[in-house]
Amino acid sequence: MALRGVWQLQKLVVNYCDWGGSSRGIRAFMESHLPALKEKNPQLEVVTQLVRGQHPNLKGIYKNHNERVVCVRNLAPEDIMLQASRLRCSLGRKVVKLRTRHVTKRPSVQGTWTTELKM
């Protein structure tokens, strides 16, 4: 995703095995979809790494030095393309769990509303 006009995904690393059955989909992805992905995204550096004996994955390296790794074991080439586009469209920020359901600058004076009010 672009933040202030700058794409945040800097590098996409494709790890695969040339022998394993779980890498069948990513090998087909590299033949059919990867050249089009490189052509549509000239700002993105795409690197393929041969890692034997390991399940395939996609690693996104972002400008804020965060990394996201997505396992693409036994996925079809279309599903791998979807995961690659999700990595490209995300900002690379860490997921932060909120403490409450809603965040407000001015909490209610009466207290938090619940459905189990006692009368």
Side-chain angles (χ1 to χ4, degrees):
M1 180 176 213
L3 182 67
R4 296 185 186 98
V6 178
W7 286 97
Q8 296 301 302
L9 183 63
Q10 204 171 13
K11 182 190 248 186
L12 181 69
V13 181
V14 180
N15 294 327
Y16 71 100
C17 177
D18 61 347
W19 177 78
S22 64
S23 295
R24 185 178 304 127
I26 201 154
R27 289 191 299 262
F29 166 77
M30 288 179 5
E31 291 176 2
S32 60
H33 292 65
L34 194 61
L37 181 70
K38 285 182 182 180
E39 186 177 313
K40 287 182 182 177
N41 301 297
Q43 80 282 358
L44 182 61
E45 179 185 355
V46 180
V47 178
T48 57
Q49 291 181 347
L50 176 65
V51 182
R52 292 193 172 162
Q54 299 292 322
H55 291 299
N57 60 27
L58 297 174
K59 182 191 293 185
I61 301 172
Y62 294 90
K63 290 199 185 261
N64 58 2
H65 305 293
N66 285 339
E67 293 183 0
R68 282 196 181 173
V69 179
V70 178
C71 182
V72 290
R73 177 178 64 199
N74 296 326
L75 290 181
E78 293 80 20
D79 297 333
I80 296 173
M81 183 66 186
L82 177 68
Q83 294 296 330
S85 65
R86 284 183 181 167
L87 283 175
R88 180 182 59 96
C89 292
S90 66
L91 291 175
R93 295 179 179 161
K94 297 289 183 183
V95 178
V96 177
K97 185 176 179 182
L98 299 176
R99 293 181 185 164
T100 61
R101 290 188 201 174
H102 61 285
V103 178
T104 179
K105 291 182 181 178
R106 296 181 185 94
S108 174
V109 177
Q110 299 172 352
T112 308
W113 183 85
T114 62
T115 57
E116 303 172 0
L117 292 176
K118 297 178 182 177
M119 292 187 167

